[in-house]
Amino acid sequence: MRKKIVAGNWKMHKNAEQTEELLNELIAKIPAQTTAQVIVAPTFVNLQAAVAKLKNTTIAVSAQNVHQAEGGAFTGEISADMLTSIGVKTVILGHSERRAIFHETDALIANKVDTALKHDLTVIFCFGEELKDRQSDNHFNIVENQLRDGLFHIAKESWANVVLAYEPVWAIGTGETASPEQAQDMHEFIRETVRKAFGAQIADQVSILYGGSVKPDNAKEIFGKPDVDGGLIGGAALKADDFLAIVTAI
């Protein structure tokens, strides 16, 4: 049975004190009966503190990015070895903001995937179409191309360390959300695309998260769809009660 996962991407929010406050709230309030894997992704400067704080809890820690090189003269960048050395085991790659703002290409993301997997990091691989792609009925092609060019070069055995996160770019930070039916249609297409490339076993086992303005009031309906295995949560992850309501909804 594939994992149910709720991951909170904090983006460039929460200083050290605020990070500790939010983590304390999550630790105190997380439902004991939660069966989903819960992940938080603070900023780089707060990762080590988060790992230490969450060490004896059920909440895992993810980085929001990693550089593709093992090391070198890359001012301001973070290597996979640096992440694993402080106990981080997961990394988000290919997020729409990295693609759009920092101009990360599928080829670059593919290199980052290789580096992360080499260091036994679990990759939350993000992908999804922009509004113009959906309006032109090209959204399935865009998603298939991003999967193929950024991820489908990996070996079959590497899929044990991959989580997929579909994020319709037009539904991130806009207040717009794909309908549960739209989410299911795309998630079903994604699973079928994986099946065609890697077989039914991998397709049936890989978790596919939805990442488009999930809120407490829509999470249950979205998560109720058969091919939606959880969410990559943005703004709602910054408030403990909202985030945990989403965790409960799964």
Side-chain angles (χ1 to χ4, degrees):
M1 179 178 292
R2 55 185 179 262
K3 291 180 182 177
K4 298 291 185 179
I5 301 169
V6 179
N9 178 15
W10 293 10
K11 306 186 181 183
M12 199 173 72
H13 296 286
K14 303 295 182 184
N15 61 26
E17 182 180 354
Q18 292 165 341
T19 295
E20 184 172 10
E21 289 175 356
L22 180 51
L23 292 177
N24 283 336
E25 275 197 85
L26 294 176
I27 293 168
K29 296 180 178 180
I30 189 167
Q33 71 274 20
T34 297
T35 56
Q37 181 180 4
V38 178
I39 302 171
V40 294
T43 63
F44 277 130
V45 296
N46 293 316
L47 281 175
Q48 190 165 11
V51 170
K53 171 70 70 173
L54 298 172
K55 184 176 181 179
N56 295 315
T57 74
T58 58
I59 305 172
V61 177
S62 173
Q64 297 178 20
N65 187 34
V66 72
H67 195 272
Q68 67 273 18
E70 294 291 340
F74 302 104
T75 300
E77 294 296 325
I78 304 294
S79 72
D81 178 64
M82 293 172 184
L83 295 180
T84 58
S85 73
I86 62 169
V88 173
K89 298 179 180 179
T90 304
V91 62
I92 299 169
L93 294 177
H95 192 280
S96 61
E97 291 160 2
R98 299 296 311 179
R99 294 174 185 266
I101 300 171
F102 300 100
H103 309 294
E104 293 193 359
T105 64
D106 288 328
L108 174 62
I109 295 164
N111 287 338
K112 291 188 175 192
V113 167
D114 290 341
T115 300
L117 293 175
K118 178 182 176 181
H119 286 265
D120 294 323
L121 286 163
T122 292
V123 172
I124 300 177
F125 182 86
C126 302
F127 55 98
E129 81 280 6
E130 297 181 13
L131 181 59
K132 60 181 173 58
D133 303 315
R134 183 163 281 269
Q135 289 176 333
S136 63
D137 203 30
N138 196 38
H139 47 296
F140 290 118
N141 288 333
I142 292 294
V143 163
E144 184 174 2
N145 289 341
Q146 288 178 341
L147 285 168
R148 184 189 67 237
D149 296 342
L151 186 65
F152 277 15
H153 64 286
I154 67 173
K156 280 190 172 183
E157 54 268 24
S158 294
W159 278 90
N161 287 330
V162 171
V163 174
L164 301 180
Y166 165 63
E167 44 172 17
V169 180
W170 49 273
I172 298 176
T174 64
E176 296 292 331
T177 307
S179 70
E181 291 73 27
Q182 286 174 315
Q184 168 58 22
D185 286 348
M186 182 58 83
H187 280 236
E188 184 179 21
F189 171 78
I190 293 163
R191 204 174 299 283
E192 177 62 14
T193 301
V194 174
R195 186 194 66 78
K196 289 178 180 177
F198 291 93
Q201 183 175 3
I202 288 174
D204 290 342
Q205 291 180 352
V206 67
S207 297
I208 308 176
L209 313 184
Y210 173 74
S213 296
V214 178
K215 303 283 195 302
D217 59 358
N218 64 22
K220 186 172 184 179
E221 191 174 6
I222 292 172
F223 293 163
K225 296 302 179 182
D227 287 297
V228 179
D229 303 310
L232 179 61
I233 315 301
L238 301 175
K239 297 180 180 180
D241 289 341
D242 286 354
F243 186 60
L244 294 175
I246 294 170
V247 171
T248 301
I250 205 168

